[in-house]
Amino acid sequence: MARIRLNRSARSTSDRVAEENRRTFRRHGVFVINMIGSPGCGKTAILQRTAQHFGGRLAVIVGDIKTTLDADRIAQGGIAAVPIETGGSCHLAPSMVRDALAGLDLAALDLLVIENVGNLVCPAAVDLGEDIKVGVLSVPEGDEKVRKYPALFLRTAAVLVNKVDLLPYCEFDVRRVREDCLKVNPDAEVFEVSATTGKGFEAWLEFLRRARR
Amino acid sequence: MARIRLNRSARSTSDRVAEENRRTFRRHGVFVINMIGSPGCGKTAILQRTAQHFGGRLAVIVGDIKTTLDADRIAQGGIAAVPIETGGSCHLAPSMVRDALAGLDLAALDLLVIENVGNLVCPAAVDLGEDIKVGVLSVPEGDEKVRKYPALFLRTAAVLVNKVDLLPYCEFDVRRVREDCLKVNPDAEVFEVSATTGKGFEAWLEFLRRARR
């Protein structure tokens, strides 16, 4: 634990493996998302609902410090889900993703989502070989997260504001989040969703279909 | 960013500064808490309400990657609050706390709470010189956090389950959390609270008074 900077050689090894992953994904025509958000923001629930619309063409790699609970939840829905237990590391590394690919038939996939370790900080700076990063935040976390964690949100192609079903019970200004996103990263698309009720998923799914092309 | 291990000399410098902090706190008779939880779990709101019961005898050091929003919120309530912007670091270091102490009159305090960066992973392993660590999780995050982030919860003297006012709207089994805490760390006391409504705060405040003695 420290003010973390990979030294140049470790960084270049990491980036090299990320590039290898990227070439592998391209070869198989799979579009890959690196999904990043706080613990408990609803990444797994979002993936469960998203997967319903892609049938067997979507698979998930799920990173957790400890336990395979999230991968198990996803697999129960009949979706291919490969767990990675990082054993203490606060983010996924590209080599962990490379090793997890052995458990997947990439040729059968349109979309692969890598659910990163629940953490708004450390995963943001690490390229896994993905096409895009997607940031997830949730209504009960409060509406100042984009300001407080800009390093993530300036890299995301899309931001999911999850748990909008809890808006009546929380102080949360969606407009403020949209304005903050616009300042940090004008290209990011913002989607208000509820993985519990399904609200807002049409627009998110449409984004995924567009992004793939 | 990497699988983070401080090398031996950096670790020993960190521990040495933590010990200096601890001696400073003891000399002034201040009881110190290192509060750790996810982004948006309610650490700041808990501190705002807790401070009401300690008058001017409680101060807060507030770590954030970016912005001083949380420290500003606390200071608005007339409570001494020193912000630390870590500028990218995913947790507070003891040297940052040492430098922040210049902004506080320790002799006037009974209790100092260090609100760590919102992160369930990296802050857990770093000693800041505190007397105890307190873990915070919140109902909308889900009830599996103790299993997924055991490195934090095995070090906490108390666990606050915040936002119990949202229990009617979330799937969350408080009993499961209590059982998981008991397995990971039988000595940790678990408090169900709502910083919004004040529910459960009597027991938490009583814990603080006991712990101080």
Side-chain angles (χ1 to χ4, degrees):
Chain A
M1 312 277 157
R3 191 173 293 244
I4 313 153
R5 295 275 177 274
L6 275 192
N7 63 38
R8 201 176 296 174
S9 93
R11 164 66 72 190
S12 82
T13 303
S14 178
D15 284 348
R16 188 176 48 72
V17 178
E19 274 311 314
E20 278 172 30
N21 290 347
R22 189 169 282 114
R23 279 196 296 275
T24 305
F25 299 145
R26 294 250 162 97
R27 198 163 58 241
H28 291 93
V30 188
F31 188 77
V32 180
I33 290 174
N34 181 356
M35 184 170 274
I36 300 175
S38 295
C41 66
K43 297 180 290 300
T44 303
I46 288 167
L47 291 179
Q48 289 178 296
R49 190 175 279 275
T50 302
Q52 292 168 10
H53 297 265
F54 281 83
R57 311 286 301 169
L58 181 149
V60 185
I61 292 174
V62 188
D64 261 311
I65 303 268
K66 183 86 184 160
T67 80
T68 60
L69 290 169
D70 287 352
D72 297 346
R73 269 170 67 193
I74 293 172
Q76 275 165 16
I79 301 144
V82 182
I84 300 176
E85 274 191 87
T86 68
S89 177
C90 50
H91 63 279
L92 290 175
S95 57
M96 299 175 193
V97 171
R98 179 192 56 200
D99 296 347
L101 293 179
L104 289 172
D105 177 9
L106 287 181
L109 299 180
D110 288 337
L111 191 63
L112 172 65
V113 186
I114 304 167
E115 182 186 329
N116 220 311
V117 174
N119 185 334
L120 275 184
V121 190
C122 311
V126 181
D127 179 18
L128 302 175
E130 71 272 2
D131 289 289
I132 60 168
K133 287 185 170 68
V134 170
V136 183
L137 52 85
S138 66
V139 165
E141 290 171 54
D143 54 20
E144 83 294 18
K145 291 297 167 287
V146 177
R147 291 181 195 202
K148 289 171 74 170
Y149 300 89
L152 170 60
F153 293 100
L154 67 83
R155 291 177 168 98
T156 47
V159 176
L160 295 176
V161 180
N162 190 31
K163 308 194 191 181
V164 292
D165 52 301
L166 295 179
L167 276 171
Y169 317 111
C170 301
E171 268 190 54
F172 190 95
D173 183 347
V174 178
R175 207 177 46 188
R176 182 182 177 187
V177 172
R178 287 189 172 276
E179 286 170 2
D180 288 346
C181 280
L182 207 61
K183 274 182 215 155
V184 171
N185 178 356
D187 297 328
E189 295 193 43
V190 180
F191 301 97
E192 300 165 32
V193 302
S194 165
T196 304
T197 67
K199 192 174 172 195
F201 264 66
E202 303 75 11
W204 159 241
L205 294 166
E206 180 50 33
F207 167 84
L208 288 177
R209 288 187 202 105
R210 260 188 291 128
R212 266 202 70 221
R213 278 183 224 128
Chain B
M1 311 279 158
R3 190 174 294 242
I4 314 154
R5 295 274 176 274
L6 276 192
N7 62 38
R8 201 176 296 175
S9 93
R11 165 65 73 191
S12 82
T13 302
S14 177
D15 284 348
R16 187 177 47 73
V17 178
E19 274 311 313
E20 279 173 28
N21 289 347
R22 189 170 283 114
R23 280 197 297 272
T24 304
F25 299 143
R26 296 249 162 97
R27 197 163 60 240
H28 292 93
V30 188
F31 188 77
V32 180
I33 290 175
N34 181 357
M35 185 171 272
I36 300 174
S38 294
C41 67
K43 297 180 289 302
T44 303
I46 287 168
L47 290 178
Q48 287 177 298
R49 191 174 278 275
T50 302
Q52 292 167 9
H53 297 266
F54 280 84
R57 311 284 302 168
L58 180 149
V60 184
I61 293 175
V62 188
D64 261 311
I65 303 270
K66 183 89 183 156
T67 80
T68 59
L69 291 170
D70 288 352
D72 298 345
R73 271 170 66 192
I74 292 172
Q76 275 164 17
I79 300 143
V82 181
I84 301 176
E85 273 191 88
T86 67
S89 178
C90 51
H91 62 279
L92 290 175
S95 57
M96 300 176 192
V97 172
R98 180 192 57 200
D99 297 347
L101 293 179
L104 289 172
D105 177 10
L106 286 180
L109 299 179
D110 288 337
L111 191 62
L112 173 65
V113 185
I114 304 167
E115 183 186 330
N116 221 309
V117 175
N119 185 333
L120 275 184
V121 189
C122 312
V126 181
D127 179 17
L128 302 175
E130 71 273 2
D131 290 290
I132 60 168
K133 286 185 170 69
V134 170
V136 183
L137 53 86
S138 66
V139 165
E141 292 172 54
D143 54 19
E144 82 292 20
K145 292 296 168 288
V146 177
R147 291 183 197 200
K148 287 171 75 172
Y149 300 89
L152 170 60
F153 293 99
L154 67 83
R155 292 177 167 98
T156 48
V159 176
L160 294 177
V161 180
N162 190 30
K163 309 193 190 182
V164 292
D165 52 302
L166 295 178
L167 276 171
Y169 316 111
C170 301
E171 269 190 54
F172 190 95
D173 184 347
V174 178
R175 205 177 48 188
R176 182 182 176 188
V177 171
R178 288 189 171 275
E179 286 170 2
D180 289 346
C181 281
L182 206 61
K183 273 182 215 155
V184 171
N185 177 358
D187 297 328
E189 295 193 43
V190 180
F191 300 97
E192 301 165 31
V193 301
S194 166
T196 304
T197 67
K199 193 175 171 195
F201 264 67
E202 302 76 10
W204 159 240
L205 293 167
E206 179 51 33
F207 168 84
L208 289 177
R209 289 186 202 105
R210 259 188 293 127
R212 264 202 70 221
R213 276 181 225 127

